[in-house]
Amino acid sequence: MSKIFLVAKREYLENLRTKTFWIGILMFPVILAISIFLPMLLDKAKDARRYTVIDRSGFLLDEVRQSSSAQDLYRVLMGLSPMDEERASSLGDAPDQVKKVFEIASEQKRENLWPLAQWIVSGKDESGSLEPVRQSLQPNLEAFRDWWNKLSPRQLNRIQKGLDRSRFHYVEISEAEKNQESLNEMIQRGALFAYFEIGPNPVEGSEGCRYVSNNLTDRDLLNWFNGYASSIVKERRIAAKGIDAQTARWLNQSLNFETNKVGASGEGEKVRVEDTAGQWAPVAFVYILWVSIFSVAQILLSNTIEEKSNRIIEVLLSSLSPFQLMSGKILGNAATGLTVIASWIGCLLVGVTVIPRFFESAPSVQLDQVISEPLYLGSFLFYFLMGYFIYAAILVGIGSVCSNPKEAQNLMLPVMLMLIVPLMSMMPVAQDPNGTLARTLSYIPVFTPFVMMNRAAGPPPMVDYIGTTLLLLISLPIFFWGASRIFRIGILMTGQPPNLFQIFRWLFTETEHPKIKG
């Protein structure tokens, strides 16, 4: 046993000295950061979509632009309320009259900010609750509207990120250019991203309404304009039928079901954001488990092939049995994997704690409590070890019969197929953790670690925990026995690698290479 631990120690320390180990340490936080921030950066880098509109209705374009402008102003007011020095600094060199409007608006209740934004932009006050604030805003209102309407997309971005006018830029065109030939030519040379045509009577129907663009993948502009236009047309249709605004809002109000769950006490409890995050947390754990097992087992495979091709194996076998060497290599790489996983979990805990402090839009969910849930961490540790040992036994057997990575590629195909199944079944299992598919896959040893980890939020019945634990504890010695039978013969083989049928025959042959004497 001491020789096994000496080999394990050697493998672990050798891995710590390699670049692969440190790449493994950094890979997860880097990938996590890229997956979070790169889409945000790419979205910000996207050019504003330039569009224009031929409006034959005489009203729809103006109302869409007013509604969008009011929505933008509402978001700015929400971001500046309550006003402080840091928020006021985002206004930059805005005139004093503008800052006065924002200062007065920031003192209003948050529920009044939407009708206030509508009134500032369009002069409409459907709620009738703004009379007291109108008088204080009136002296500065004209200057504010002039400043607001002249802001460029870049200036808007300094005040508030992601506003409609910074993403979709309306282009004023002359009457002579308001024809399809001119607009099509502008699209072809890139002066416009798209243009809209609005029919003479959109309230009656969609006849004459068109959207023209050569970009068939980005439909953000179309969805944005269509959303506002549809809402305005719907309001006009309701008004045409003589239905008052309050009744119309009631008619359009959706039926909402409050989501509850059955708590530990057996009574219904309101579902929190943390509860939903907790249900999906195992999916993240399964992905980390898959990446870690695949990465660490690959290191083991590469090390075995390298030592065999360099004839280091022959030296090691002069003082070790093949089983001792194989077991030591597996244990040493398991310690490497646990070190990498511990660092990943640490980075994840730091990330979910630190990120909300820098991003106000980040959800106020205690994800660190979800991640550090003993059920998840305990399951992850056990299933990582079981999954790693099973696949390590398979790969060390493959590595022992190959002299270079190219030879291992053909033998790796069945292993890759086995590893793909847990990835493909992640979502179905997470959605139905105690269904037939989940329970069936749980009792197939090569899938058990992934599927049971994925089911942790179910949670699975205790009989499944006990049954799969016993299954893994029984299966693991069988995998080790099979790997050792292959390893003892394959590790000293040279020349043409065997095929799968020959490897299978080795499991039942008693022939063994004698241990090399020093």
Side-chain angles (χ1 to χ4, degrees):
M1 187 63 72
S2 60
K3 290 184 178 181
I4 293 177
F5 286 112
L6 284 174
V7 175
K9 179 181 178 182
R10 170 187 170 275
E11 287 288 324
Y12 181 66
L13 294 177
E14 284 294 322
N15 287 332
L16 259 62
R17 297 189 186 103
T18 62
K19 294 179 181 178
T20 308
F21 174 80
W22 296 107
I23 291 173
I25 290 284
L26 296 173
M27 182 177 65
F28 177 71
V30 169
I31 290 177
L32 184 64
I34 289 175
S35 63
I36 293 174
F37 297 111
L38 186 60
M40 297 167 57
L41 294 174
L42 291 177
D43 188 62
K44 291 178 183 176
K46 188 167 67 174
D47 294 334
R49 298 314 193 192
R50 295 168 57 85
Y51 75 100
T52 193
V53 180
I54 302 175
D55 184 10
R56 298 186 178 91
S57 71
F59 73 91
L60 191 53
L61 172 61
D62 291 339
E63 293 197 19
V64 166
R65 295 187 66 191
Q66 283 185 1
S67 297
S68 174
S69 183
Q71 182 67 37
D72 281 348
L73 181 56
Y74 170 67
R75 291 182 60 189
V76 172
L77 293 177
M78 289 288 287
L80 295 175
S81 180
M83 182 74 76
D84 54 29
E85 291 185 7
E86 182 180 351
R87 289 179 170 86
S89 64
S90 67
L91 298 176
D93 55 355
D96 291 339
Q97 293 169 302
V98 171
K99 292 181 178 179
K100 184 65 176 177
V101 170
F102 279 121
E103 182 181 342
I104 295 171
S106 68
E107 298 171 354
Q108 307 303 309
K109 294 180 179 179
R110 295 179 78 85
E111 58 265 25
N112 289 336
L113 293 181
W114 171 240
L116 181 62
Q118 286 183 304
W119 176 74
I120 292 175
V121 170
S122 63
K124 299 177 182 178
D125 179 17
E126 296 180 358
S127 66
S129 61
L130 301 177
E131 189 58 39
V133 76
R134 282 182 181 178
Q135 297 179 359
S136 56
L137 289 176
Q138 199 67 50
N140 306 304
L141 194 58
E142 193 65 31
F144 181 89
R145 285 175 177 166
D146 183 63
W147 170 83
W148 176 253
N149 291 328
K150 290 181 179 178
L151 285 175
S152 67
R154 181 174 296 180
Q155 290 171 321
L156 283 167
N157 265 326
R158 290 177 188 159
I159 299 171
Q160 181 84 27
K161 300 293 184 183
L163 298 178
D164 288 347
R165 276 172 53 205
S166 63
R167 297 168 56 222
F168 310 116
H169 179 61
Y170 177 74
V171 178
E172 297 279 0
I173 59 174
S174 64
E175 288 297 325
E177 294 175 312
K178 288 185 178 180
N179 58 79
Q180 292 183 6
E181 291 77 11
S182 297
L183 295 175
N184 290 342
E185 189 272 331
M186 292 174 73
I187 286 180
Q188 286 181 332
R189 60 184 172 87
L192 286 178
F193 177 81
Y195 69 87
F196 294 87
E197 289 186 50
I198 300 175
N201 196 349
V203 175
E204 290 296 324
S206 302
E207 186 177 353
C209 296
R210 291 200 310 152
Y211 168 78
V212 181
S213 175
N214 279 346
N215 189 317
L216 305 180
T217 56
D218 188 347
R219 297 177 64 85
D220 287 348
L221 172 61
L222 173 60
N223 294 335
W224 166 78
F225 192 91
N226 185 61
Y228 280 110
S230 298
S231 178
I232 292 165
V233 166
K234 187 184 295 183
E235 289 178 3
R236 291 217 169 200
R237 288 172 179 172
I238 289 172
K241 295 297 182 181
I243 303 174
D244 64 273
Q246 185 175 356
T247 303
R249 282 193 293 270
W250 175 72
L251 288 172
N252 284 324
Q253 192 172 20
S254 301
L255 182 64
N256 296 318
F257 290 89
E258 183 182 272
T259 307
N260 279 248
K261 67 172 186 174
V262 179
S265 62
E267 298 181 359
E269 298 177 357
K270 189 174 181 179
V271 174
R272 302 169 300 165
V273 179
E274 289 85 352
D275 297 325
T276 304
Q279 288 287 320
W280 288 104
V283 174
F285 274 88
V286 170
Y287 185 73
I288 297 172
L289 181 67
W290 189 93
V291 171
S292 59
I293 288 177
F294 180 76
S295 302
V296 178
Q298 278 285 91
I299 293 173
L300 175 62
L301 175 65
S302 301
N303 288 350
T304 303
I305 294 174
E306 182 181 356
E307 290 180 357
K308 180 181 177 180
S309 62
N310 293 337
R311 313 301 289 260
I312 297 174
I313 288 291
E314 296 178 7
V315 177
L316 294 174
L317 287 177
S318 65
S319 55
L320 295 167
S321 69
F323 181 79
Q324 289 173 329
L325 177 59
M326 183 194 78
S327 300
K329 291 176 74 64
I330 290 175
L331 288 176
N333 282 277
T336 303
L338 287 175
T339 304
V340 173
I341 293 300
S343 68
W344 287 358
I345 293 176
C347 290
L348 196 57
L349 290 172
V350 170
V352 298
T353 304
V354 171
I355 287 176
R357 299 182 181 179
F358 292 92
F359 295 92
E360 295 181 0
S361 59
S364 58
V365 181
Q366 299 299 320
L367 289 179
D368 54 339
Q369 297 178 9
V370 175
I371 294 170
S372 59
E373 171 68 34
L375 175 65
Y376 297 152
L377 287 180
S379 299
F380 184 86
L381 179 61
F382 174 74
Y383 290 123
F384 167 79
L385 290 173
M386 292 295 103
Y388 165 74
F389 285 139
I390 287 174
Y391 281 95
I394 295 172
L395 291 181
V396 79
I398 292 175
S400 69
V401 302
C402 301
S403 300
N404 55 67
K406 186 176 180 179
E407 294 177 359
Q409 289 178 356
N410 293 332
L411 296 176
M412 275 289 291
L413 182 59
V415 181
M416 291 303 302
L417 291 175
M418 287 191 294
L419 282 168
I420 286 173
V421 172
L423 277 186
M424 297 296 101
S425 62
M426 269 200 310
M427 296 305 292
V429 170
Q431 292 171 343
D432 191 10
N434 292 319
T436 303
L437 174 65
R439 300 195 73 172
T440 301
L441 292 177
S442 297
Y443 286 90
I444 302 176
V446 291
F447 304 146
T448 301
F450 305 102
V451 177
M452 285 302 295
M453 182 68 250
N454 207 1
R455 297 176 62 193
M462 186 55 64
V463 65
D464 282 357
Y465 270 124
I466 296 173
T468 54
T469 299
L470 292 175
L471 175 67
L472 289 174
L473 293 176
I474 294 171
S475 302
L476 189 58
I478 297 175
F479 278 98
F480 261 69
W481 172 82
S484 66
R485 304 283 287 188
I486 297 170
F487 190 87
R488 68 197 170 100
I489 299 175
I491 199 64
L492 293 176
M493 281 192 63
T494 56
Q496 184 71 22
N499 56 40
L500 288 175
F501 178 72
Q502 290 173 313
I503 293 173
F504 182 76
R505 287 180 57 190
W506 291 354
L507 296 175
F508 305 100
T509 182
E510 295 300 325
T511 304
E512 182 176 356
H513 291 284
K515 186 170 71 173
I516 299 174
K517 302 296 182 182

